[in-house]
């Protein structure tokens, strides 16, 4: 059971990292730092968009229009952070796992 909670925590942490990389890449594209005409950059952007957009889309539906500022990644990052805390301190002890 310890391995399961470690795996879940690691997956949530990895998804949060992908979310941060996605935000940074979108900034780099917006400011013209990286060239989206390159195949590798385009494939990385497509992968990050495919991975993060399904989780960001429902959050964006509830947010008001903020004039081009997208705070949905911040909200999703806080949700992931809260899930990791909840998993470690509340859910894992229910199954007898106190440290992972």
């Amino acid at each position: 059971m310890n391995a399961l909670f470690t795996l879940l925590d690691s997956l949530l942490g990895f998804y949060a990292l992908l979310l941060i990389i996605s935000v940074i890449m979108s900034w780099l594209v917006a400011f013209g730092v990286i060239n989206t005409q390159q195949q590798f950059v385009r494939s990385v952007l497509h992968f990050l968009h495919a991975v993060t957009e399904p989780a960001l889309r429902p959050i964006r539906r509830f947010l008001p229009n903020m004039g081009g500022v997208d705070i949905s990644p911040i909200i999703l990052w806080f949700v992931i952070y809260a899930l990791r805390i909840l998993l470690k301190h509340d859910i894992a002890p229910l199954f007898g796992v106190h440290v992972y």
Side-chain angles (χ1 to χ4, degrees):
M1 204 53 120
N2 192 5
L4 178 67
F5 286 109
T6 303
L7 178 67
L8 286 174
D9 186 57
S10 298
L11 288 175
L12 286 171
F14 183 69
Y15 191 79
L17 180 66
L18 287 177
L19 185 65
I20 292 169
I21 292 171
S22 175
V23 168
I24 292 171
M25 290 287 287
S26 71
W27 289 346
L28 292 175
V29 168
F31 291 122
V33 176
I34 57 175
N35 184 8
T36 57
Q37 300 301 319
Q38 294 178 346
Q39 181 63 31
F40 176 73
V41 172
R42 195 173 334 141
S43 64
V44 169
L45 288 172
H46 178 69
F47 169 75
L48 290 172
H49 183 44
V51 169
T52 59
E53 189 61 28
L56 292 172
R57 194 175 304 123
I59 297 171
R60 287 185 182 129
R61 280 189 300 188
F62 293 107
L63 291 177
N65 187 3
M66 301 180 88
V69 177
D70 185 17
I71 63 167
S72 61
I74 297 170
I75 293 172
L76 181 58
W77 189 84
F78 280 126
V79 167
I80 292 170
Y81 186 70
L83 281 173
R84 290 179 77 184
I85 291 173
L86 185 69
L87 184 72
K88 185 171 188 170
H89 296 290
D90 293 333
I91 297 173
L94 290 175
F95 294 97
V97 178
H98 296 287
V99 176
Y100 65 91

